[in-house]
Structures are given as structure tokens and as C-alpha cells.
Amino acid sequence: MERMVIPSELESARTVAERVLAEVHRHHYSPESVFAIKLALEEALTNAVKHGNAGDRTKRVTVEFSINAKRAVIIVTDEGPGFDPRCVPDPTADENLECPSGRGIMLMRAYMDAVTFDRTGRSVRLVKLNN
């Protein structure tokens, strides 16, 4: 598993995303799978920087990934206090339609084959099969 540790800033997150996507392309993932991975990874990185680390540039984001011809596994971990993903409001519920909270998690779950959070809520594991 390859590992990259970056400062908690969106510009550094883009560098990681480019590296991961280069591996995805190298293993000939379909355009649909590339899009799904790009979207989910950008959401996970943005959540780690903005919500997990609360924009604190002294904190780090760790990205671990393993990509082969059959599947891509990406783990994004921040240094924040964590959260309980079960407590994130459903963004499709009528009372939450105008609230931006929870949309990133919903998108990750919609586009990836598996999305799991560790018990601390500081780490998300994304899995996409290469169909």
C-alpha cells in the first residue's frame, strides 16, 4: 500500500488525487470508474481538510492506496476529533434539502462499491472494483 502524508490544505490534496488517478489510469479502469474514484476521493479529501482538521494547516492528512487491475482501495485519515457517520443528517430528507451537510458522504456511497469509516470517524476506506 502506497502512503502519502500531506499538509491539511486543498492544493496538497489535489496532488494526492492526481497521483491516485494516475495509478487508476495505468490499470485501465473504465471512464465511469475513474469518474467515481475521482469524485469520491475529492469528497473524502475535502472532508478531511475542511471538517476533520477544520482547516488547521498544522494538521496532516494521510492517504494510503492500493490499486491493481481488479480493485482500488483508498484510505483517507485526518487528525481531527472524528465523528459518528450515523449522526450525519440524510441530505435527501425534506427538512435537509437546503442543508449542505452529508452530501459528500452520500456521493461517496453512491459511486463507490464500499465506503466504511473506522470507529473513531477519522478515517474513511473507499473501494472501487474494476468491472
Side-chain angles (χ1 to χ4, degrees):
M1 186 152 298
E2 190 166 335
R3 183 174 190 256
M4 297 178 76
V5 179
I6 60 168
S8 193
E9 56 190 31
L10 294 177
E11 187 58 40
S12 295
R14 281 189 274 284
T15 302
V16 170
E18 289 169 5
R19 174 72 186 98
V20 170
L21 291 171
E23 278 299 296
V24 170
H25 283 291
R26 191 169 76 80
H27 288 288
H28 307 291
Y29 279 65
S30 70
E32 296 81 14
S33 292
V34 172
F35 174 81
I37 293 166
K38 181 179 189 299
L39 178 72
L41 179 56
E42 286 175 354
E43 290 295 338
L45 288 166
T46 299
N47 285 349
V49 170
K50 288 187 171 182
H51 301 295
N53 289 344
D56 183 345
R57 292 175 185 254
T58 65
K59 293 185 177 180
R60 301 282 176 250
V61 175
T62 301
V63 180
E64 297 171 280
F65 58 96
S66 174
I67 298 163
N68 60 37
K70 293 185 179 187
R71 73 178 185 163
V73 178
I74 305 160
I75 302 167
V76 178
T77 305
D78 62 59
E79 295 180 343
F83 78 111
D84 184 345
R86 297 170 301 180
C87 294
V88 175
D90 176 0
T92 63
D94 287 343
E95 66 272 16
N96 298 326
L97 290 177
E98 302 206 11
C99 179
S101 184
R103 295 190 196 294
I105 293 172
M106 180 186 75
L107 286 170
M108 286 188 278
R109 287 182 171 147
Y111 281 93
M112 299 302 281
D113 292 303
V115 176
T116 53
F117 293 89
D118 74 347
R119 62 178 181 75
T120 68
R122 294 184 320 122
S123 185
V124 61
R125 182 177 187 265
L126 308 168
V127 178
K128 185 68 176 172
L129 302 176
N130 188 12
N131 299 332

